[in-house]
Amino acid sequence: MAELVSPQAIDRMLADAQASGVPLDGTDGLINQLTRAVIERALGAEMDDHLGYVKGDSAGNGSGNSRNGHFGKTVTTTAGPVRIQVPRDRNSDFEPKIVPKRTRRLGQIDDIILSLYARGMTTRDIQAHLKEVYGADTSPELISRITDVVHEEIVEWQTRPVDPVYPILYIDALVVKIREGGVVDNRAAHLVVGVDMEGFKHVLGIWIQDKEGARFWGSVLTELRNRGLNDALIVCCDGLAGLPEAIEQVWPEAKVQTCVVHLIRTSMRFVSYGDRKTIAKALKPIYTAVNEAAAKAALENLRREHGKRYPGVIAAWERAWQQFIPFLEFEPELRKVIYSTNTIESINFQLRKITKNRGHFPDTDAAMKLLYLGVRNITGRHIDGTGLVRERGERGTGTYGWKRALNALAVRFGDRLPL
């Protein structure tokens, strides 16, 4: 490129533009004019290739097809709206590639729209942004149609094959508001995140459901099994109705572990602000205990000291006790990894940021579209034309201390870990 456009040539263009009062950017700027010139030159080259001869060449005599003028067309580019002249041929079978027929947007405009949408901007926000930055006139309906192109990608992503074994699964939910029958209702959008053998986290799918229960979770987990997930060693979740029963049905050997951080947060809801440090200190001996007996003794000590004032704290731990105690069986290296669903909560936190601007969604498909784009943006992953997951940049988020945890997993679940 440096050889094609020398610094001297660029200096001359800039000097001519300055002398004639032409701005650098904007709809009438130098960059816009250069964009138009490059596009029209490329279209001319495409026409030469289509006809088999260049303009003015006698080889075109009697060839059966020839040039037939131009027609004007305005396309939106990152340099702003550009008015170009598209060549025509007499047989009307010229199919330009750089500016395909019926195409009104070039370059990265569609990618920009998808990126802005995935970051939580509404269609009207995007419309205003494109007008302000690129001078492009768009409509909310057009933006919505552009974002709709991901529907097929969502289906491929939601049904793609997954690994046969994930040592750890995290399952959690966030609430989205969806309008149905003229009424806005809260729905739970459930995310399942798997940690693979190398410690990388993968969002395996999103499921939106108004009611949880064993039947719903049975269908979700069976779907994952049908996609190739034959076993999960540890499933870390938090108080999702019917989930433990469904896990036992689909992966009977999996260990179900409640999120300890969730349990602590639930406890703190019953505690006045002034006593939070005291209660937090009293809770620590429970979840750092060496075994269940020591944890039970710590819970009884908490009951004696604070049970009368904060019975809700005691009740929260007793309700979750059966899903909490598997945590105490694990080595310290594993405890650090499965201590909480913060892995998935960090994703949920970012998804909440992009959904809060919506207020509510017109239907489930609209909610799924935004959540998927958000996940795609967060994880840097997409589906290519072959239906396979491809990485855009880094492979994904790793798990801190994974090698130590993997060694502990190998000791405990060695016969179930793939080689």
Side-chain angles (χ1 to χ4, degrees), residues 3-21:
E3 295 176 356
L4 293 174
V5 184
S6 66
Q8 293 79 12
I10 295 175
D11 290 341
R12 286 195 299 271
M13 285 189 291
L14 291 173
D16 291 343
Q18 186 176 13
S20 59

Side-chain angles (χ1 to χ4, degrees), residues 167-168 170 233-234 236 255 257 326-340 399-413 417:
I168 300 174
Y170 297 100
L233 307 185
I234 302 171
C236 191
K255 288 281 188 179
Q257 170 60 54
F327 178 79
L328 303 173
E329 301 175 10
F330 300 124
E331 296 79 358
E333 295 82 5
L334 270 179
R335 289 190 185 188
K336 291 178 181 179
V337 173
I338 64 172
Y339 176 68
S340 78
T399 302
Y400 181 74
W402 178 249
K403 291 301 182 182
R404 292 189 299 272
L406 185 61
N407 277 276
L409 287 166
V411 171
R412 180 173 291 271
F413 304 102
L417 285 175

Side-chain angles (χ1 to χ4, degrees), residues 72-106:
K73 181 176 182 178
T74 299
V75 293
T76 300
T77 73
T78 52
V82 177
R83 186 69 179 177
I84 61 174
Q85 295 297 314
V86 181
R88 293 182 295 196
D89 64 331
R90 292 194 177 279
N91 292 347
S92 299
D93 55 6
F94 175 50
E95 297 283 349
K97 301 295 189 299
I98 189 170
V99 187
K101 291 181 178 179
R102 294 174 292 279
T103 293
R104 295 287 179 177
R105 300 177 304 279
L106 293 185

